[in-house]
Amino acid sequence: MSDVTSAGRRAIVVGAGPNGLVAAITLARAGWDVTVFEAASHPGGGMRSEELTIPGAIHDVCSAIHPLAVGSPAFREIAATGALAEHGLEWIYSDVPLAHPLDGGRAAVLHRSVDDTAVALGADASPYRRLFGPLVEAGFGLTDGLMAPFTIPPKHPLTMVRYGAVGLLPAHTVARRAFDTEEAQALFAGLAGHSILSLKAPVTAGYGLMLGVLAHLVGWPLARGGSQQIASALVAVLEGFGGRVECDHRVDSLAELPPNDAVLLDVTPRQVIALAGDSLPSRYVRTLTKFRYGPGVFKVDWALDGPIPWTNTDCARAATVHLGGTLAEITASEGDVQAGRLPERPYVLLAQQSLFDPSRAPAGTQTAWAYCHVPNGSTKDMTARIESQVERFAPGFRDRIIGRHTMNTAAVEAHDANYIGGDINGGVADLRQFIARPKLGLHPWKTPLDGVYLCSSSTPPGGGVHGMCGWHAAHEVLRSVR
Ligand SMILES: Cc1cc2nc3c(=O)[nH]c(=O)nc-3n(C[C@H](O)[C@H](O)[C@H](O)COP(=O)(O)OP(=O)(O)OC[C@H]3O[C@@H](n4cnc5c(N)ncnc54)[C@H](O)[C@@H]3O)c2cc1C
């Protein structure tokens, strides 16, 4: 952690998502007096859990699976002190990180070991080893290179060049060039589908590589007791450094904030414009106005009277199951979403937390969590289409449902104001907005307003629970305010 001490300095953070909380911890640890104002009644932003269906069933309202948190330099730094574990955060690892069923009872399985995964892919064993082996062997070289500050030359040049040569390509191209089997192609498509981009768009292979590497390196764990436990542990760490979170405190204008030396905004560009009123230079307002939000999500949580009856039993070994069939099907489904259409057979990301964490559901019951991508702002109910995809690979699933909770894009945004039109990434994460997020340059966290910084997933490195946007913004503050 930073050894800069800045006693007497005061920071206000707006928003207690992972990025706001990590920013707050980084500054509090450096001696700042930090207060976080959070609009919701509980801290955590995208890391909250609630009893959404039947009494006693704990559901992750947003994030559920956390390779980015476990692999993130910011979380690793905080975890290294033992503080997260001390405050009750325990990661649970399923037997295998990920399964991807296909019709006819087949399934591709991503194991923790590259070799086990390769062997299970049969004819695609060697290509799989060639694609993932060297990147995994580089340890945190790749993920740190992608999440840590950009330097010239990059910190791990060989790994970054190897990654870039494939990662800049569309996932569809890489899957077809690298693999022959439907299993390996579908597995890669499912990984890349997390990008919420067309699989024919550049850099989508990069998402597939990064998430695959993390699965091998650190696993795809869930938090015992619910993702809220991550938020609770971060808040406890912050309080340990003298900081505080004030919930039910929505900030409507920067002008209403108490005197401070720095303000860090865990919100997206549209909200920055609203908070700043007319104090922002028009050029910056134009930049923020041009920032593009991406597709939204439709989310379903279920309470079940038993485990999901997967045809392929390997699916019961994985906390995460990707449902969408073949590379061609997932490409078509994500292509529909990009074109503003609702996919008939959506690519569904499903998690089955209670199978591995019994504290999530009352005895004799199970929980499951799933979402699919939809056009931004869509209010269409996708429940039937999502459930058809589960039923396709687990006949009898519908009969197990004893409770259901759904959220369309409006409900997702009502839960967390950062999810504009249901966009969970804080803005499209294509090549252009990866480089200019929200503006081009080495200091995208800085705004033109003195002492005001942006720290949400609308800054590098983008969406997900990793806290790195907050970590970067806080270090920007520590460098600027002495
Ligand atoms: C359905 C769903 C599934 C997801 N699954 C995963 C997953 O499995 N793994 C993963 O890594 N990521 C996942 N994500 C994405 C992840 O949750 C986000 O990328 C992450 O939470 C972004 O962090 P953040 O700190 O930038 O913003 P947020 O977590 O959105 O936090 C922003 C906070 O700011 C508060 N706020 C906003 N405006 C104001 C205001 N004016 N005044 C005060 N407070 C304000 C909000 O209430 C919120 O608490 C998922 C998201 C969703 C919705």
Side-chain angles (χ1 to χ4, degrees):
M1 296 234 172
S2 169
D3 53 5
V4 180
T5 53
S6 318
R9 298 282 190 187
R10 181 165 198 217
I12 304 292
V13 178
V14 177
N19 288 310
L21 290 174
V22 166
I25 290 170
T26 308
L27 291 175
R29 169 136 185 167
W32 286 54
D33 178 50
V34 185
T35 304
V36 184
F37 293 136
E38 167 53 52
S41 54
H42 290 88
M47 308 179 292
R48 282 172 285 163
S49 310
E50 288 175 26
E51 222 178 49
L52 295 175
T53 56
I54 59 169
I58 309 295
H59 299 275
D60 295 327
V61 186
C62 302
S63 78
I65 303 295
H66 295 103
L68 292 168
V70 183
S72 132
F75 268 78
R76 287 190 347 249
E77 191 177 70
I78 300 169
T81 65
L84 292 174
E86 258 167 46
H87 293 295
L89 177 59
E90 188 188 338
W91 296 115
I92 292 181
Y93 297 84
S94 49
D95 183 17
V96 296
L98 170 68
H100 188 125
L102 291 165
D103 290 330
R106 295 169 297 147
V109 177
L110 198 154
H111 297 258
R112 276 299 291 272
S113 128
V114 173
D115 227 46
D116 290 350
T117 312
V119 168
L121 289 173
D124 274 325
S126 297
Y128 191 88
R129 272 194 207 98
R130 272 200 302 278
L131 192 58
F132 282 97
L135 295 175
V136 174
E137 277 157 28
F140 284 115
L142 170 64
T143 48
D144 284 4
L146 291 171
M147 290 199 248
F150 179 69
T151 56
I152 302 171
K155 280 214 180 90
H156 306 275
L158 270 182
T159 306
M160 294 311 284
V161 167
R162 186 184 280 276
Y163 169 79
V166 181
L168 285 170
L169 298 172
H172 185 260
T173 308
V174 171
R176 289 214 321 188
R177 275 193 202 156
F179 302 122
D180 290 324
T181 64
E182 275 198 341
E183 282 82 352
Q185 290 183 348
L187 187 67
F188 194 71
L191 290 169
H194 285 254
S195 63
I196 325 186
L197 297 168
S198 158
L199 297 196
K200 294 193 170 171
V203 305
T204 43
Y207 284 89
L209 288 179
M210 162 120 162
L211 288 171
V213 166
L214 279 171
H216 292 304
L217 209 56
V218 296
W220 280 22
L222 48 107
R224 186 180 299 282
S227 298
Q228 185 74 54
Q229 299 301 326
I230 313 171
S232 302
L234 289 173
V235 171
V237 172
L238 173 63
E239 289 171 347
F241 289 118
R244 63 205 72 81
V245 181
E246 278 186 24
C247 288
D248 294 312
H249 186 140
R250 187 190 147 82
V251 176
D252 290 312
S253 163
L254 294 184
E256 75 189 46
L257 295 176
N260 60 72
D261 298 288
V263 175
L264 293 92
L265 302 175
D266 187 7
V267 303
T268 76
R270 195 177 292 182
Q271 295 148 284
V272 175
I273 296 173
L275 284 169
D278 43 19
S279 59
L280 285 173
S282 52
R283 197 158 157 229
Y284 189 65
V285 173
R286 269 200 306 279
T287 303
L288 295 189
T289 309
K290 281 191 203 146
F291 188 78
R292 289 165 296 129
Y293 291 92
V297 298
F298 186 92
K299 166 97 191 306
V300 193
D301 285 280
W302 297 281
L304 307 167
D305 68 5
I308 300 176
W310 299 110
T311 304
N312 186 302
T313 51
D314 275 341
C315 295
R317 299 169 62 201
T320 306
V321 184
H322 287 161
L323 306 170
T326 62
L327 167 67
E329 284 179 273
I330 296 176
T331 304
S333 156
E334 294 303 295
D336 277 347
V337 175
Q338 293 300 323
R341 294 186 297 266
L342 290 159
E344 203 53 55
R345 300 223 288 182
Y347 162 56
V348 175
L349 299 89
L350 180 142
Q352 36 189 4
Q353 293 91 327
S354 62
L355 269 189
F356 308 97
D357 177 7
S359 76
R360 301 291 187 103
T365 67
Q366 299 285 342
T367 62
W369 162 115
Y371 70 89
C372 73
H373 303 142
V374 294
N376 190 287
S378 163
T379 50
K380 169 84 183 168
D381 185 342
M382 295 293 281
T383 310
R385 296 187 199 186
I386 288 178
E387 289 181 358
S388 292
Q389 287 289 51
V390 189
E391 188 75 23
R392 172 179 169 193
F393 301 106
F397 163 74
R398 278 201 193 93
D399 299 335
R400 297 236 155 129
I401 299 172
I402 52 174
R404 178 194 289 115
H405 178 270
T406 64
M407 291 165 90
N408 64 15
T409 62
V412 170
E413 186 175 335
H415 175 72
D416 184 331
N418 282 27
Y419 301 144
I420 309 282
D423 174 354
I424 68 174
N425 261 347
V428 175
D430 60 5
L431 184 56
R432 212 169 95 208
Q433 285 199 167
F434 184 72
I435 297 168
R437 194 167 185 87
K439 62 169 189 176
L440 202 59
L442 293 177
H443 306 280
W445 304 276
K446 273 190 169 169
T447 77
L449 297 180
D450 200 23
V452 179
Y453 299 78
L454 192 52
C455 73
S456 73
S457 60
S458 303
T459 64
V465 173
H466 45 64
M468 286 305 293
C469 313
W471 189 87
H472 287 305
H475 281 282
E476 194 75 71
V477 173
L478 292 174
R479 279 191 297 272
S480 311
V481 185
R482 298 261 177 188

PDB file of all heavy atoms in Angstrom, residues 378-400:
ATOM      1  N   SER A 378     -34.129  -1.956 -22.504  1.00  0.00           N
ATOM      2  CA  SER A 378     -35.228  -2.871 -22.834  1.00  0.00           C
ATOM      3  C   SER A 378     -36.026  -3.241 -21.575  1.00  0.00           C
ATOM      4  O   SER A 378     -35.448  -3.538 -20.534  1.00  0.00           O
ATOM      5  CB  SER A 378     -34.671  -4.150 -23.461  1.00  0.00           C
ATOM      6  OG  SER A 378     -35.652  -5.170 -23.426  1.00  0.00           O
ATOM      7  N   THR A 379     -37.343  -3.223 -21.684  1.00  0.00           N
ATOM      8  CA  THR A 379     -38.158  -3.618 -20.528  1.00  0.00           C
ATOM      9  C   THR A 379     -38.832  -4.973 -20.781  1.00  0.00           C
ATOM     10  O   THR A 379     -39.695  -5.408 -20.031  1.00  0.00           O
ATOM     11  CB  THR A 379     -39.253  -2.564 -20.234  1.00  0.00           C
ATOM     12  OG1 THR A 379     -39.931  -2.276 -21.449  1.00  0.00           O
ATOM     13  CG2 THR A 379     -38.656  -1.295 -19.654  1.00  0.00           C
ATOM     14  N   LYS A 380     -38.421  -5.637 -21.839  1.00  0.00           N
ATOM     15  CA  LYS A 380     -39.002  -6.945 -22.189  1.00  0.00           C
ATOM     16  C   LYS A 380     -38.685  -7.973 -21.085  1.00  0.00           C
ATOM     17  O   LYS A 380     -37.562  -8.028 -20.578  1.00  0.00           O
ATOM     18  CB  LYS A 380     -38.392  -7.386 -23.529  1.00  0.00           C
ATOM     19  CG  LYS A 380     -38.667  -8.798 -23.904  1.00  0.00           C
ATOM     20  CD  LYS A 380     -40.015  -8.960 -24.576  1.00  0.00           C
ATOM     21  CE  LYS A 380     -40.272 -10.441 -24.863  1.00  0.00           C
ATOM     22  NZ  LYS A 380     -41.638 -10.720 -25.251  1.00  0.00           N
ATOM     23  N   ASP A 381     -39.682  -8.770 -20.758  1.00  0.00           N
ATOM     24  CA  ASP A 381     -39.490  -9.825 -19.764  1.00  0.00           C
ATOM     25  C   ASP A 381     -38.849 -11.037 -20.450  1.00  0.00           C
ATOM     26  O   ASP A 381     -39.460 -11.661 -21.317  1.00  0.00           O
ATOM     27  CB  ASP A 381     -40.856 -10.202 -19.169  1.00  0.00           C
ATOM     28  CG  ASP A 381     -40.720 -11.208 -18.038  1.00  0.00           C
ATOM     29  OD1 ASP A 381     -39.661 -11.861 -17.923  1.00  0.00           O
ATOM     30  OD2 ASP A 381     -41.689 -11.343 -17.258  1.00  0.00           O
ATOM     31  N   MET A 382     -37.609 -11.354 -20.089  1.00  0.00           N
ATOM     32  CA  MET A 382     -36.871 -12.451 -20.738  1.00  0.00           C
ATOM     33  C   MET A 382     -36.940 -13.749 -19.923  1.00  0.00           C
ATOM     34  O   MET A 382     -36.237 -14.709 -20.233  1.00  0.00           O
ATOM     35  CB  MET A 382     -35.403 -12.048 -20.925  1.00  0.00           C
ATOM     36  CG  MET A 382     -35.196 -10.881 -21.874  1.00  0.00           C
ATOM     37  SD  MET A 382     -35.625 -11.288 -23.575  1.00  0.00           S
ATOM     38  CE  MET A 382     -34.164 -12.201 -24.099  1.00  0.00           C
ATOM     39  N   THR A 383     -37.783 -13.778 -18.884  1.00  0.00           N
ATOM     40  CA  THR A 383     -37.807 -14.950 -17.997  1.00  0.00           C
ATOM     41  C   THR A 383     -38.005 -16.258 -18.773  1.00  0.00           C
ATOM     42  O   THR A 383     -37.253 -17.224 -18.589  1.00  0.00           O
ATOM     43  CB  THR A 383     -38.943 -14.808 -16.952  1.00  0.00           C
ATOM     44  OG1 THR A 383     -38.840 -13.532 -16.347  1.00  0.00           O
ATOM     45  CG2 THR A 383     -38.854 -15.885 -15.895  1.00  0.00           C
ATOM     46  N   ALA A 384     -39.017 -16.268 -19.651  1.00  0.00           N
ATOM     47  CA  ALA A 384     -39.345 -17.523 -20.352  1.00  0.00           C
ATOM     48  C   ALA A 384     -38.175 -17.963 -21.228  1.00  0.00           C
ATOM     49  O   ALA A 384     -37.836 -19.159 -21.282  1.00  0.00           O
ATOM     50  CB  ALA A 384     -40.600 -17.339 -21.189  1.00  0.00           C
ATOM     51  N   ARG A 385     -37.521 -16.997 -21.902  1.00  0.00           N
ATOM     52  CA  ARG A 385     -36.399 -17.370 -22.791  1.00  0.00           C
ATOM     53  C   ARG A 385     -35.196 -17.865 -21.985  1.00  0.00           C
ATOM     54  O   ARG A 385     -34.499 -18.786 -22.402  1.00  0.00           O
ATOM     55  CB  ARG A 385     -36.006 -16.179 -23.661  1.00  0.00           C
ATOM     56  CG  ARG A 385     -37.132 -15.770 -24.601  1.00  0.00           C
ATOM     57  CD  ARG A 385     -36.697 -14.702 -25.569  1.00  0.00           C
ATOM     58  NE  ARG A 385     -37.880 -14.027 -26.126  1.00  0.00           N
ATOM     59  CZ  ARG A 385     -37.827 -13.122 -27.083  1.00  0.00           C
ATOM     60  NH1 ARG A 385     -36.679 -12.775 -27.618  1.00  0.00           N
ATOM     61  NH2 ARG A 385     -38.930 -12.561 -27.530  1.00  0.00           N
ATOM     62  N   ILE A 386     -34.962 -17.236 -20.836  1.00  0.00           N
ATOM     63  CA  ILE A 386     -33.839 -17.694 -19.997  1.00  0.00           C
ATOM     64  C   ILE A 386     -34.141 -19.098 -19.456  1.00  0.00           C
ATOM     65  O   ILE A 386     -33.305 -19.997 -19.510  1.00  0.00           O
ATOM     66  CB  ILE A 386     -33.583 -16.691 -18.839  1.00  0.00           C
ATOM     67  CG1 ILE A 386     -32.964 -15.393 -19.388  1.00  0.00           C
ATOM     68  CG2 ILE A 386     -32.687 -17.304 -17.760  1.00  0.00           C
ATOM     69  CD1 ILE A 386     -32.705 -14.306 -18.357  1.00  0.00           C
ATOM     70  N   GLU A 387     -35.372 -19.269 -18.984  1.00  0.00           N
ATOM     71  CA  GLU A 387     -35.716 -20.588 -18.412  1.00  0.00           C
ATOM     72  C   GLU A 387     -35.712 -21.679 -19.484  1.00  0.00           C
ATOM     73  O   GLU A 387     -35.381 -22.837 -19.195  1.00  0.00           O
ATOM     74  CB  GLU A 387     -37.055 -20.509 -17.666  1.00  0.00           C
ATOM     75  CG  GLU A 387     -36.888 -19.699 -16.370  1.00  0.00           C
ATOM     76  CD  GLU A 387     -38.154 -19.565 -15.534  1.00  0.00           C
ATOM     77  OE1 GLU A 387     -39.217 -20.063 -15.953  1.00  0.00           O
ATOM     78  OE2 GLU A 387     -38.057 -18.955 -14.442  1.00  0.00           O
ATOM     79  N   SER A 388     -36.043 -21.325 -20.719  1.00  0.00           N
ATOM     80  CA  SER A 388     -35.974 -22.333 -21.803  1.00  0.00           C
ATOM     81  C   SER A 388     -34.542 -22.788 -22.015  1.00  0.00           C
ATOM     82  O   SER A 388     -34.292 -23.969 -22.304  1.00  0.00           O
ATOM     83  CB  SER A 388     -36.467 -21.753 -23.122  1.00  0.00           C
ATOM     84  OG  SER A 388     -37.813 -21.514 -23.042  1.00  0.00           O
ATOM     85  N   GLN A 389     -33.598 -21.844 -21.912  1.00  0.00           N
ATOM     86  CA  GLN A 389     -32.191 -22.230 -22.076  1.00  0.00           C
ATOM     87  C   GLN A 389     -31.746 -23.168 -20.942  1.00  0.00           C
ATOM     88  O   GLN A 389     -30.983 -24.102 -21.180  1.00  0.00           O
ATOM     89  CB  GLN A 389     -31.275 -20.989 -22.120  1.00  0.00           C
ATOM     90  CG  GLN A 389     -31.360 -20.186 -23.412  1.00  0.00           C
ATOM     91  CD  GLN A 389     -30.742 -20.897 -24.609  1.00  0.00           C
ATOM     92  OE1 GLN A 389     -31.051 -22.060 -24.885  1.00  0.00           O
ATOM     93  NE2 GLN A 389     -29.866 -20.215 -25.340  1.00  0.00           N
ATOM     94  N   VAL A 390     -32.216 -22.911 -19.708  1.00  0.00           N
ATOM     95  CA  VAL A 390     -31.839 -23.819 -18.607  1.00  0.00           C
ATOM     96  C   VAL A 390     -32.492 -25.187 -18.837  1.00  0.00           C
ATOM     97  O   VAL A 390     -31.840 -26.240 -18.754  1.00  0.00           O
ATOM     98  CB  VAL A 390     -32.254 -23.253 -17.222  1.00  0.00           C
ATOM     99  CG1 VAL A 390     -31.645 -24.108 -16.107  1.00  0.00           C
ATOM    100  CG2 VAL A 390     -31.834 -21.799 -17.051  1.00  0.00           C
ATOM    101  N   GLU A 391     -33.772 -25.153 -19.168  1.00  0.00           N
ATOM    102  CA  GLU A 391     -34.539 -26.395 -19.377  1.00  0.00           C
ATOM    103  C   GLU A 391     -33.910 -27.243 -20.498  1.00  0.00           C
ATOM    104  O   GLU A 391     -33.899 -28.468 -20.435  1.00  0.00           O
ATOM    105  CB  GLU A 391     -35.984 -26.000 -19.735  1.00  0.00           C
ATOM    106  CG  GLU A 391     -36.974 -27.134 -19.793  1.00  0.00           C
ATOM    107  CD  GLU A 391     -37.421 -27.671 -18.435  1.00  0.00           C
ATOM    108  OE1 GLU A 391     -37.337 -26.940 -17.429  1.00  0.00           O
ATOM    109  OE2 GLU A 391     -37.825 -28.852 -18.399  1.00  0.00           O
ATOM    110  N   ARG A 392     -33.378 -26.552 -21.505  1.00  0.00           N
ATOM    111  CA  ARG A 392     -32.756 -27.249 -22.648  1.00  0.00           C
ATOM    112  C   ARG A 392     -31.627 -28.180 -22.189  1.00  0.00           C
ATOM    113  O   ARG A 392     -31.458 -29.279 -22.714  1.00  0.00           O
ATOM    114  CB  ARG A 392     -32.210 -26.174 -23.600  1.00  0.00           C
ATOM    115  CG  ARG A 392     -31.366 -26.657 -24.740  1.00  0.00           C
ATOM    116  CD  ARG A 392     -30.937 -25.449 -25.573  1.00  0.00           C
ATOM    117  NE  ARG A 392     -29.918 -25.788 -26.540  1.00  0.00           N
ATOM    118  CZ  ARG A 392     -29.200 -24.882 -27.212  1.00  0.00           C
ATOM    119  NH1 ARG A 392     -29.415 -23.581 -27.026  1.00  0.00           N
ATOM    120  NH2 ARG A 392     -28.281 -25.278 -28.071  1.00  0.00           N
ATOM    121  N   PHE A 393     -30.876 -27.728 -21.187  1.00  0.00           N
ATOM    122  CA  PHE A 393     -29.737 -28.532 -20.718  1.00  0.00           C
ATOM    123  C   PHE A 393     -30.022 -29.226 -19.384  1.00  0.00           C
ATOM    124  O   PHE A 393     -29.179 -29.962 -18.875  1.00  0.00           O
ATOM    125  CB  PHE A 393     -28.486 -27.645 -20.590  1.00  0.00           C
ATOM    126  CG  PHE A 393     -28.109 -27.001 -21.895  1.00  0.00           C
ATOM    127  CD1 PHE A 393     -28.324 -25.647 -22.125  1.00  0.00           C
ATOM    128  CD2 PHE A 393     -27.570 -27.768 -22.924  1.00  0.00           C
ATOM    129  CE1 PHE A 393     -27.984 -25.062 -23.338  1.00  0.00           C
ATOM    130  CE2 PHE A 393     -27.234 -27.200 -24.142  1.00  0.00           C
ATOM    131  CZ  PHE A 393     -27.448 -25.835 -24.353  1.00  0.00           C
ATOM    132  N   ALA A 394     -31.204 -28.934 -18.804  1.00  0.00           N
ATOM    133  CA  ALA A 394     -31.579 -29.538 -17.524  1.00  0.00           C
ATOM    134  C   ALA A 394     -33.087 -29.763 -17.519  1.00  0.00           C
ATOM    135  O   ALA A 394     -33.837 -29.047 -16.847  1.00  0.00           O
ATOM    136  CB  ALA A 394     -31.170 -28.606 -16.371  1.00  0.00           C
ATOM    137  N   PRO A 395     -33.557 -30.766 -18.281  1.00  0.00           N
ATOM    138  CA  PRO A 395     -35.009 -30.994 -18.342  1.00  0.00           C
ATOM    139  C   PRO A 395     -35.567 -31.248 -16.941  1.00  0.00           C
ATOM    140  O   PRO A 395     -34.964 -31.983 -16.157  1.00  0.00           O
ATOM    141  CB  PRO A 395     -35.138 -32.245 -19.219  1.00  0.00           C
ATOM    142  CG  PRO A 395     -33.810 -32.381 -19.932  1.00  0.00           C
ATOM    143  CD  PRO A 395     -32.775 -31.725 -19.071  1.00  0.00           C
ATOM    144  N   GLY A 396     -36.681 -30.605 -16.633  1.00  0.00           N
ATOM    145  CA  GLY A 396     -37.268 -30.749 -15.291  1.00  0.00           C
ATOM    146  C   GLY A 396     -36.937 -29.566 -14.401  1.00  0.00           C
ATOM    147  O   GLY A 396     -37.457 -29.451 -13.284  1.00  0.00           O
ATOM    148  N   PHE A 397     -36.087 -28.646 -14.910  1.00  0.00           N
ATOM    149  CA  PHE A 397     -35.685 -27.484 -14.098  1.00  0.00           C
ATOM    150  C   PHE A 397     -36.899 -26.671 -13.661  1.00  0.00           C
ATOM    151  O   PHE A 397     -37.040 -26.318 -12.485  1.00  0.00           O
ATOM    152  CB  PHE A 397     -34.722 -26.603 -14.921  1.00  0.00           C
ATOM    153  CG  PHE A 397     -34.562 -25.205 -14.383  1.00  0.00           C
ATOM    154  CD1 PHE A 397     -33.806 -24.973 -13.229  1.00  0.00           C
ATOM    155  CD2 PHE A 397     -35.180 -24.115 -15.005  1.00  0.00           C
ATOM    156  CE1 PHE A 397     -33.679 -23.679 -12.718  1.00  0.00           C
ATOM    157  CE2 PHE A 397     -35.041 -22.826 -14.499  1.00  0.00           C
ATOM    158  CZ  PHE A 397     -34.291 -22.612 -13.357  1.00  0.00           C
ATOM    159  N   ARG A 398     -37.808 -26.399 -14.604  1.00  0.00           N
ATOM    160  CA  ARG A 398     -38.950 -25.521 -14.288  1.00  0.00           C
ATOM    161  C   ARG A 398     -39.782 -26.070 -13.127  1.00  0.00           C
ATOM    162  O   ARG A 398     -40.283 -25.308 -12.313  1.00  0.00           O
ATOM    163  CB  ARG A 398     -39.856 -25.365 -15.519  1.00  0.00           C
ATOM    164  CG  ARG A 398     -39.360 -24.333 -16.489  1.00  0.00           C
ATOM    165  CD  ARG A 398     -40.501 -23.839 -17.390  1.00  0.00           C
ATOM    166  NE  ARG A 398     -39.949 -23.088 -18.509  1.00  0.00           N
ATOM    167  CZ  ARG A 398     -39.651 -23.620 -19.693  1.00  0.00           C
ATOM    168  NH1 ARG A 398     -39.867 -24.910 -19.916  1.00  0.00           N
ATOM    169  NH2 ARG A 398     -39.144 -22.885 -20.647  1.00  0.00           N
ATOM    170  N   ASP A 399     -39.866 -27.409 -13.049  1.00  0.00           N
ATOM    171  CA  ASP A 399     -40.681 -28.010 -11.988  1.00  0.00           C
ATOM    172  C   ASP A 399     -40.058 -27.800 -10.612  1.00  0.00           C
ATOM    173  O   ASP A 399     -40.709 -28.021  -9.593  1.00  0.00           O
ATOM    174  CB  ASP A 399     -40.832 -29.531 -12.226  1.00  0.00           C
ATOM    175  CG  ASP A 399     -41.518 -29.797 -13.552  1.00  0.00           C
ATOM    176  OD1 ASP A 399     -42.255 -28.894 -14.010  1.00  0.00           O
ATOM    177  OD2 ASP A 399     -41.302 -30.880 -14.136  1.00  0.00           O
ATOM    178  N   ARG A 400     -38.783 -27.415 -10.591  1.00  0.00           N
ATOM    179  CA  ARG A 400     -38.111 -27.239  -9.290  1.00  0.00           C
ATOM    180  C   ARG A 400     -38.257 -25.819  -8.733  1.00  0.00           C
ATOM    181  O   ARG A 400     -37.816 -25.537  -7.633  1.00  0.00           O
ATOM    182  CB  ARG A 400     -36.610 -27.544  -9.444  1.00  0.00           C
ATOM    183  CG  ARG A 400     -36.328 -28.976  -9.857  1.00  0.00           C
ATOM    184  CD  ARG A 400     -35.387 -29.646  -8.863  1.00  0.00           C
ATOM    185  NE  ARG A 400     -35.589 -31.070  -8.913  1.00  0.00           N
ATOM    186  CZ  ARG A 400     -34.628 -31.965  -9.062  1.00  0.00           C
ATOM    187  NH1 ARG A 400     -33.372 -31.564  -9.155  1.00  0.00           N
ATOM    188  NH2 ARG A 400     -34.903 -33.251  -9.068  1.00  0.00           N
TER     189      ARG A 400
END
